[in-house]
Amino acid sequence: MDRIFPTGFPLPTAFYLTVYMITLVIHVLFMNYVLAGSAFVAVSSLFRPKAIGPQLPGTINGVLRDWLPFALGMTITAGVAPLLFVQILYKKSYYTANLLLFHRWMSILPVLILGFYLLYLIKRIRFNQWSLGRRRLVVIGAFLCFGFTAYSWTENHLLSLESTTTWTDLYAREQMHYFHPVLIPRLLLWALGSVPTMLLGVAWQLWFYQRRIGPIQVRPLQISWLALVGIILSLICGGIYYGLVDDATRQQFTQPLTSTYLLLALVGLGLQFGGWALQAASTKLQQRWLILASIGLLITLLCMTVVRESARLVRIDITSLYEQHAQLYKTGGFFLFLAFFLLMVLVVAWIIFLIRRNLRVLAHHQP
Amino acid sequence: MELPYYPINDFGPVMKGLVIGGLGIFHVFLAQFAIGGGMLMCYFQWLAAERRHALARQFVSSYFQYLVLFSFVLGALTGVAMWFTTIQLSPRTIGLMVDQFHWIWATEWTFFVVEVVSGYAFYRYSAQLDDRSRMRLLQFYTVAAWGSLFWINGILSWQLTPGTWSIEQPQLWGGFFNASFWPSLLFRTVSSMATAALVACVVINTMPNASRDQRKELINKTANFMIPMVLMPLLGAWYLAVFPDDSRSWVLGGSPAMSLFMGITIGASLLIGCYALIGLFFQKLYINGATATLLCALAFGATAGAEFVREGVRKPYTIRNTLLSNSITPQEVAHLRQIGSVTNDPYPLRGAEQLPTEQLRLGARVYRFQCSICHTPSGVNGLTHLTGSWNGEQKRLMIAQLQMTKPFMPPFAGNAEELEALVQYLEWLSADRPPQWPTRHDPQILQQINEWLIEAGTATAVDKAAGRGPAE
């Protein structure tokens, strides 16, 4: 592909690809929060048992334990939209990968239900009265549930890129799992990349806490360092992943379709890096540095989603799907969706406004 | 004509329909609880705001805990599970549904978002909100929950009654607002209200700090949500009236299983209705936790029966007039009769070495492609049970003219060699899978099968009865 995305595609395909990627980024934002957040609580429980003791407001663990169930609910809900558009775009390969992994793939559902309930357990006040071993088991269990789901998605995605020969071979062997050398580096790239996203979300929550309630119980330097380490480690994994992908994919990364976005993603990473580095020098969470890191994060996520998609396009002949996309493009209902999407944004904004107004009034009346 | 082949999984002795059916019933029940629950909480919030009941506010908080724990978690994930399971069973069906209604589904997604955000906002902040704000959040939640039913109902009812939609002229709104859209929507709304009221009776019995009299008062208030149940017979009759003729005839005695499940739905609903009438309206009985749980189980039974009927009456189609229950289109049947249904299937047969001949292997592949969606070899709805008493000739005739043997079966979509291979495979299974088995290639038999296939044609019995003739 020698033209920059989305200009190299016919309008219907470009349109569905764009909608897919935008909705995927929304999903990824919440997903990163859950994956990295549950990992953070699990790791904290091993080194700092206090982290899973009584919930302390104004701490990273306190915020995460409080908000992870909601974030998971949003992850699942937000995940419905890209799941819908991936079926429009790559029906056969997506369905085939699902079918080949069969029970192994379907097992993510009970695992997610288990993870969901474990997060609710962590949130309960009575959780603090449990023995340390039991509490550790719960938080580590929750993380393992989400880690398993992330692994399964990566596995499913990589399998969907394979040829019919690989599919039939896998089917004949009744093998309900699939391993590819890039699976682990790819998974790590996304998993480590989720750390800065989660920390930025938590930092914003703590910033609101700092502004409305009082000083936070964690040093901004600590959050910044963690985010910077996450960025560096994900870059290293990105390098390893780049080294392991096949030549065609590597070549794709140098094509205009991808290279521009890869470059922009690096610019986004630079902005994140700068935002966190400047934040590290401050004793309080600073709105301007968080905004800078947020802009960087958004650019990185959007651009990396394009890069991710371009790697898929090396393996799937999307030109054979153009006609199908064009046919579906004629299906009505888009403007209905658009109208309700805007309405949804308004309603969500109104709900936030409603809550904030009530809390403000409450704070005003409290001594 | 290129037919997409997918890898087909074996569910063992479990019929695939049972898996999606079981999951679907569970999901529908949870969804109804969420939808009716929203309405019920709006009502109780109103009671609380108007100071009409001292415990109304406490009830809303207790009920919402259950709603979040069950509906938000299990409801949301079983919804995704429905999607994944449908892919496992029939990727072509879900593919076609997504193709036609992706923007409707995307619109439904915006309602999910509002449902989750307003629900969590209430769950988290309701104790700190004034009555007006609480009511606003509950209203948003309720509209979003019911709205998601509105959108999905159009897609599901389209599968049975596609309205003016057809694959050649895919009119979105003509398909969405189809004949069964309104009766189905209203029926489900009333069911949701009844389900929510029954769950409320359980919740009320678990409320601490409430005396028996206070609980009784609360239970009596929830009874108001059972009043719309009086409309159920009317709505049910309307729903039944808009069914296609053949589907209706199966429910009304044509298919014993379908009639039985319909009976379960009516019976269970009637029992709930009677209990509500005597216990709640005449206030002769107190509904304790155990009774309330039992009534919920009955409601679950009613939902299960209704969902089974809804799924079953679509046969021989999964999308009426467009896609047969084995994921082959009516147009493809004639083509596959020419070239063979598994000739181009790239997926090899698992455990092929256990089958002694090539003919049996072909038969097993035909079974996998055409039959395994609804049947198992010897488990639930097993072919050896269904055809075990037929001799070879009967099997050939019955399968060749399958749509005439049973009108809810699709026509056989393969050539004579494939049909004979399938017959041999069934006989081999019935004979307990012996290590040796003769190969049958009798030209006379194949000729006879061909004649029977031609005689039966490629149209379904439903199409024939409607005078649509063979699909081309």
Side-chain angles (χ1 to χ4, degrees):
Chain A
M1 195 62 68
D2 56 357
R3 290 171 69 184
I4 187 165
F5 175 84
T7 56
F9 301 95
L11 179 65
T13 303
F15 174 71
Y16 282 120
L17 276 171
T18 308
V19 178
Y20 168 63
M21 288 186 213
I22 290 170
T23 53
L24 184 65
V25 168
I26 299 171
H27 168 64
V28 165
L29 276 169
F30 289 106
M31 184 196 74
N32 283 357
Y33 189 96
V34 173
L35 184 64
S38 60
F40 188 89
V41 178
V43 173
S44 302
S45 76
L46 295 175
F47 301 105
R48 289 180 57 243
K50 252 172 58 179
I52 48 169
Q55 255 174 289
L56 288 174
T59 62
I60 301 178
N61 272 299
V63 168
L64 286 171
R65 284 170 60 188
D66 199 11
W67 284 93
L68 275 173
F70 170 71
L72 181 59
M74 283 308 293
T75 307
I76 291 163
T77 307
V80 170
L83 201 61
L84 182 67
F85 293 109
V86 80
Q87 293 177 70
I88 291 285
L89 284 161
Y90 312 107
K91 192 171 282 122
K92 191 170 179 184
S93 54
Y94 174 71
Y95 289 164
T96 304
N98 275 249
L99 285 156
L100 287 170
L101 295 176
F102 195 27
H103 293 315
R104 250 281 297 107
W105 169 243
M106 298 293 285
S107 64
I108 67 164
L109 295 160
V111 165
L112 274 174
I113 290 173
L114 176 68
F116 221 142
Y117 282 122
L118 290 178
L119 289 185
Y120 275 113
L121 273 185
I122 297 167
K123 206 175 146 79
R124 286 194 68 182
I125 296 167
R126 255 187 259 170
F127 176 72
N128 305 318
Q129 293 156 8
W130 291 5
S131 69
L132 181 63
R134 265 175 82 183
R135 278 180 284 151
R136 274 183 176 151
L137 203 67
V138 171
V139 294
I140 293 170
F143 165 64
L144 289 177
C145 288
F146 306 125
F148 173 75
T149 309
Y151 177 91
S152 303
W153 270 109
T154 311
E155 184 187 19
N156 187 317
H157 176 79
L158 289 172
L159 180 57
S160 75
L161 308 182
E162 286 297 352
S163 63
T164 306
T165 316
T166 308
W167 290 341
T168 50
D169 184 46
L170 203 74
Y171 180 80
R173 283 189 278 126
E174 296 190 47
Q175 200 176 314
M176 279 186 261
H177 59 91
Y178 170 73
F179 189 80
H180 192 282
V182 300
L183 199 156
I184 299 296
R186 189 190 166 98
L187 176 66
L188 284 175
L189 167 66
W190 285 99
L192 289 165
S194 71
V195 175
T197 315
M198 178 275 287
L199 286 168
L200 193 59
V202 172
W204 274 114
Q205 287 173 293
L206 289 171
W207 179 80
F208 276 108
Y209 182 90
Q210 175 186 277
R211 205 174 74 154
R212 293 199 175 280
I213 299 166
I216 55 172
Q217 306 299 312
V218 57
R219 282 179 302 152
L221 180 73
Q222 200 183 339
I223 308 174
S224 304
W225 271 111
L226 284 170
L228 289 170
V229 169
I231 292 170
I232 293 165
L233 287 178
S234 54
L235 263 173
I236 293 170
C237 280
I240 298 171
Y241 173 67
Y242 183 80
L244 286 172
V245 293
D246 54 82
D247 290 342
T249 309
R250 206 173 300 132
Q251 209 179 356
Q252 174 84 320
F253 291 152
T254 61
Q255 298 292 308
L257 168 72
T258 319
S259 60
T260 318
Y261 286 95
L262 200 56
L263 214 64
L264 276 170
L266 288 171
V267 170
L269 269 183
L271 287 178
Q272 283 189 69
F273 203 93
W276 285 116
L278 290 164
Q279 178 58 69
S282 176
T283 51
K284 280 178 84 178
L285 285 168
Q286 300 287 338
Q287 189 182 22
R288 58 180 180 275
W289 305 137
L290 293 183
I291 290 175
L292 183 66
S294 302
I295 294 168
L297 178 75
L298 214 58
I299 294 172
T300 310
L301 284 182
L302 278 167
C303 295
M304 281 309 288
T305 309
V306 180
V307 174
R308 174 187 182 270
E309 218 47 37
S310 72
R312 189 200 313 248
L313 296 179
V314 175
R315 312 298 298 271
I316 291 177
D317 176 23
I318 199 161
T319 55
S320 65
L321 300 167
Y322 285 168
E323 199 187 319
Q324 195 180 318
H325 297 157
Q327 204 64 35
L328 299 181
Y329 188 65
K330 293 178 197 156
T331 316
F334 171 66
F335 290 104
L336 175 91
F337 162 70
L338 198 63
F340 276 106
F341 183 82
L342 294 174
L343 195 64
M344 174 196 87
V345 173
L346 285 177
V347 170
V348 171
W350 169 250
I351 289 170
I352 294 167
F353 166 76
L354 197 74
I355 303 286
R356 288 186 65 184
R357 194 185 61 187
N358 270 272
L359 294 182
R360 209 177 300 135
V361 171
L362 203 69
H364 185 70
H365 289 300
Q366 271 173 355
Chain B
M1 187 176 285
E2 198 191 336
L3 189 76
Y5 285 95
Y6 288 102
I8 297 171
N9 287 309
D10 180 13
F11 282 55
V14 181
M15 194 178 105
K16 291 177 184 176
L18 286 182
V19 178
I20 188 81
L23 183 68
I25 291 160
F26 190 55
H27 175 68
V28 167
F29 192 72
L30 286 171
Q32 288 184 351
F33 164 45
I35 295 160
M39 297 177 190
L40 189 79
M41 280 185 298
C42 282
Y43 171 57
F44 272 85
Q45 177 56 39
W46 175 77
L47 290 176
E50 295 285 315
R51 309 281 183 266
R52 287 176 186 237
H53 202 285
L55 289 176
R57 201 179 167 94
Q58 191 196 331
F59 166 76
V60 173
S61 301
S62 301
Y63 196 88
F64 213 86
Q65 301 258 344
Y66 282 87
L67 200 75
V68 167
L69 281 177
F70 289 103
S71 178
F72 275 37
V73 180
L74 288 176
L77 277 159
T78 51
V80 179
M82 285 296 289
W83 223 343
F84 284 178
T85 311
T86 314
I87 292 171
Q88 288 294 333
L89 264 58
S90 177
R92 284 193 90 184
T93 305
I94 191 71
L96 185 58
M97 289 164 84
V98 167
D99 283 353
Q100 299 306 315
F101 293 105
H102 52 283
W103 291 119
I104 299 290
W105 247 314
T107 306
E108 190 197 5
W109 172 72
T110 65
F111 281 69
F112 286 152
V113 174
V114 173
E115 194 180 338
V116 171
V117 172
S118 57
Y120 269 101
F122 189 86
Y123 174 67
R124 195 183 166 81
Y125 295 107
S126 60
Q128 294 149 281
L129 301 180
D130 59 44
D131 277 330
R132 215 172 136 211
S133 303
R134 283 165 66 94
M135 186 56 124
R136 281 280 172 279
L137 282 183
L138 288 174
Q139 283 167 344
F140 280 137
Y141 172 81
T142 307
V143 170
W146 186 81
S148 66
L149 168 68
F150 180 89
W151 296 116
I152 195 65
N153 176 65
I155 302 172
L156 295 180
S157 55
W158 161 83
Q159 284 186 274
L160 175 66
T161 50
T164 55
W165 179 95
S166 69
I167 197 76
E168 296 81 22
Q169 289 184 315
Q171 297 172 16
L172 181 80
W173 297 114
F176 186 82
F177 290 110
N178 57 75
S180 61
F181 177 86
W182 291 111
S184 164
L185 180 69
L186 295 174
F187 193 89
R188 284 174 188 276
T189 304
V190 172
S191 302
S192 301
M193 291 173 77
T195 305
L198 292 175
V199 176
C201 293
V202 179
V203 174
I204 290 164
N205 276 287
T206 64
M207 275 171 66
N209 315 322
S211 68
R212 187 185 158 108
D213 285 343
Q214 284 173 321
R215 284 179 184 172
K216 194 173 178 185
E217 277 177 41
L218 282 172
I219 287 171
N220 286 335
K221 293 282 181 199
T222 65
N224 294 332
F225 262 65
M226 307 265 249
I227 295 171
M229 275 188 83
V230 298
L231 295 172
M232 269 188 166
L234 206 66
L235 292 171
W238 181 15
Y239 198 0
L240 204 61
V242 298
F243 272 17
D245 291 343
D246 48 294
S247 303
R248 191 169 47 249
S249 72
W250 297 330
V251 176
L252 299 175
S255 158
M258 223 81 82
S259 306
L260 182 72
F261 276 93
M262 184 75 169
I264 290 172
T265 301
I266 294 171
S269 305
L270 207 63
L271 280 173
I272 296 167
C274 288
Y275 206 95
L277 189 74
I278 299 164
L280 302 177
F281 302 133
F282 297 145
Q283 302 187 15
K284 299 277 185 204
L285 297 165
Y286 174 75
I287 297 188
N288 62 22
T291 312
T293 308
L294 198 65
L295 289 173
C296 281
L298 271 178
F300 188 82
T303 309
E307 289 303 307
F308 181 89
V309 170
R310 188 184 63 79
E311 286 282 328
V313 294
R314 285 205 303 260
K315 286 183 176 181
Y317 294 103
T318 176
I319 296 166
R320 197 165 171 92
N321 302 332
T322 303
L323 197 63
L324 294 163
S325 42
N326 52 11
S327 300
I328 299 169
T329 69
Q331 291 78 10
E332 285 161 353
V333 175
H335 178 64
L336 295 176
R337 287 254 176 108
Q338 300 296 317
I339 65 156
S341 62
V342 294
T343 313
N344 295 323
D345 184 352
Y347 292 96
L349 189 69
R350 284 169 170 172
E353 66 286 350
Q354 290 159 19
L355 289 111
T357 67
E358 198 52 47
Q359 188 178 41
L360 288 178
R361 286 192 272 273
L362 175 64
R365 292 177 76 202
V366 173
Y367 157 78
R368 183 181 69 180
F369 182 66
Q370 295 199 43
C371 320
S372 73
I373 181 91
C374 302
H375 296 278
T376 62
S378 311
V380 180
N381 209 18
L383 286 179
T384 49
H385 306 308
L386 295 168
T387 67
S389 61
W390 299 347
N391 63 31
E393 196 173 342
Q394 276 176 311
K395 282 191 182 84
R396 289 179 194 105
L397 172 65
M398 299 294 199
I399 297 171
Q401 308 203 333
L402 200 54
Q403 71 272 46
M404 287 142 91
T405 307
K406 301 267 183 190
F408 49 77
M409 293 294 289
F412 183 77
N415 57 30
E417 285 78 10
E418 285 188 338
L419 198 150
E420 178 59 21
L422 179 62
V423 168
Q424 292 304 317
Y425 177 63
L426 294 177
E427 300 227 313
W428 178 74
L429 285 175
S430 296
D432 220 11
R433 307 170 193 232
Q436 306 284 326
W437 194 258
T439 298
R440 299 287 296 267
H441 276 305
D442 187 336
Q444 273 188 327
I445 289 178
L446 293 178
Q447 175 63 30
Q448 179 63 72
I449 292 173
N450 253 327
E451 281 169 22
W452 281 331
L453 282 171
I454 292 165
E455 195 180 301
T458 56
T460 62
V462 172
D463 279 337
K464 279 189 176 178
R468 275 193 289 268
E472 291 305 331

